[in-house]
Amino acid sequence: MLRIAIAPNAQFCESTIDILRSAGVQFPSNNTLIARSRQFPAEVFTLPYNEILHNVSNGIVDIGIVGDHHLINKDPNIEEVRHFPFASCNLSISLPKTTRYKGLEWLVGKKIATPFTDVLTNYLKSKNIRAQVIPISNLSSFIPEMGVADAVFDLVITGSTLLQHNLREVEVVMQTSPTLIAYKKMAPTQRMIFDELLVRIDAILEAKGKKSITMMVDTDKVDEIINMLIPNAEPAIIPLKSNNKCFITLITEESRVWDVLPRLKQMNVSNITFGSIDKIVL
């Protein structure tokens, strides 16, 4: 049984949780402490981020999902397995909108409230900025009018929370995205299950943003069209009764098709259809 740890109400990791479910690890979304998947040999533990790191590093759970920013001072027993190329957000310094900010020097001697003290401390040290770091649990604890702090350092996902607190983002310290981590000394049985899960996850990641494209083209233009969409691809080719026409089907980035669509139309390409792809196993 593979033990997987995720964070409760994990808006930041919502996309990776969806990937787990797409890979067959189905579990309820009611934030119960432990849930067992019926379709895959796994148990899902709902834990705070700091407990995910602790439990993975000590082998209490086998894998977990955290943000890049949680791994600044990671334990040597933790292996970073996959950095997911989506759901990224900023880890930023924000101030009340009425504050006049002219650069990092403004932070000297100021109080900065944050749930991520290690990341902020390392950043300030790298910039030779002496400021007081105030630990808080979340942004709702930041009340500048009560003198808690002059600025806040936190995740900025959509910016809506900043608006609610009348704040504005002034310094992006780092971009962070979900990361799949694992216990390096995982037992062989768990490692076999994990390897199977990775195959599924990689198949889902490979399909992200891609479509199956089918189109009718002039036979003598097949090579040129393929090179426009995805060089060196080997599409499926279906000849038509007409000697100068055929259908080709290939997999490419959907955005690429939109970029070259005007040129495709000029080349007499027609009957373009898009097919959804959930997984690609290479």
Side-chain angles (χ1 to χ4, degrees), residues 11 139-140 154-155 158-167:
Q11 181 181 13
L139 188 56
S140 62
D154 203 356
L155 292 173
T158 64
S160 60
T161 305
L162 294 183
L163 289 174
Q164 292 173 10
H165 290 80
N166 202 30
L167 299 170

Side-chain angles (χ1 to χ4, degrees), residues 10-265:
Q11 181 181 13
F12 178 67
C13 291
E14 182 178 347
S15 297
T16 48
I17 292 172
D18 288 342
I19 284 180
L20 287 176
R21 291 194 170 113
S22 297
V25 185
Q26 299 291 337
F27 55 93
S29 56
N30 56 1
N31 290 336
T32 55
L33 180 59
I34 305 175
R36 178 167 292 186
S37 173
R38 294 182 179 179
Q39 293 80 11
F40 192 85
E43 289 179 329
V44 179
F45 294 75
T46 302
L47 300 170
Y49 285 117
N50 61 330
E51 291 189 23
I52 292 176
L53 293 170
H54 171 79
N55 282 288
V56 172
S57 66
N58 288 280
I60 299 170
V61 298
D62 302 301
I63 66 174
I65 298 172
V66 298
D68 291 335
H69 56 288
H70 294 108
L71 300 170
I72 297 296
N73 297 312
K74 71 171 183 177
D75 188 279
N77 285 328
I78 290 178
E79 175 186 359
E80 297 179 38
V81 182
R82 291 290 183 276
H83 293 274
F84 296 104
F86 50 80
S88 63
C89 61
N90 294 339
L91 202 54
S92 301
I93 297 172
S94 302
L95 306 176
K97 288 183 177 180
T98 55
T99 302
R100 297 184 64 182
Y101 181 76
K102 296 183 179 180
L104 284 173
E105 294 77 13
W106 183 91
L107 297 172
V108 174
K110 298 296 194 296
K111 297 178 182 178
I112 308 174
T114 181
F116 310 109
T117 55
D118 288 349
V119 181
L120 179 59
T121 299
N122 290 343
Y123 176 74
L124 294 174
K125 185 177 179 179
S126 71
K127 299 295 182 180
N128 294 317
I129 300 294
R130 292 188 177 183
Q132 184 177 354
V133 177
I134 308 294
I136 58 171
S137 57
N138 54 58
L139 188 56
S140 62
S141 305
F142 173 66
I143 309 174
E145 292 83 358
M146 295 180 64
V148 173
D150 306 290
V152 66
F153 177 66
D154 203 356
L155 292 173
V156 179
I157 300 174
T158 64
S160 60
T161 305
L162 294 183
L163 289 174
Q164 292 173 10
H165 290 80
N166 202 30
L167 299 170
R168 63 188 175 97
E169 188 178 14
V170 295
E171 293 287 345
V172 177
V173 171
M174 66 178 291
Q175 277 205 324
T176 182
S177 56
T179 299
L180 179 64
I181 60 173
Y183 178 52
K184 283 185 178 180
K185 301 175 184 178
M186 194 185 306
T189 303
Q190 273 77 19
R191 178 65 67 174
M192 288 178 61
I193 299 172
F194 182 40
D195 288 343
E196 180 183 342
L197 179 61
L198 275 182
V199 170
R200 300 186 185 192
I201 289 174
D202 288 342
I204 295 167
L205 293 177
E206 185 65 31
K208 284 286 184 181
K210 294 181 180 177
K211 295 287 186 181
S212 171
I213 312 296
T214 300
M215 61 190 76
M216 183 187 292
V217 305
D218 294 335
T219 304
D220 59 354
K221 296 178 181 176
V222 169
D223 290 341
E224 183 180 356
I225 290 170
I226 292 172
N227 285 329
M228 285 171 52
L229 291 168
I230 178 167
N232 303 317
E234 296 183 3
I237 301 177
I238 303 175
L240 301 178
K241 289 183 179 179
S242 171
N243 291 331
N244 64 342
K245 291 283 186 181
C246 66
F247 273 107
I248 64 171
T249 300
L250 49 78
I251 296 173
T252 187
E253 299 287 342
E254 183 177 11
S255 58
R256 180 62 181 157
V257 180
W258 296 126
D259 291 341
V260 302
L261 186 58
R263 189 175 171 191
L264 290 175
K265 299 299 291 183

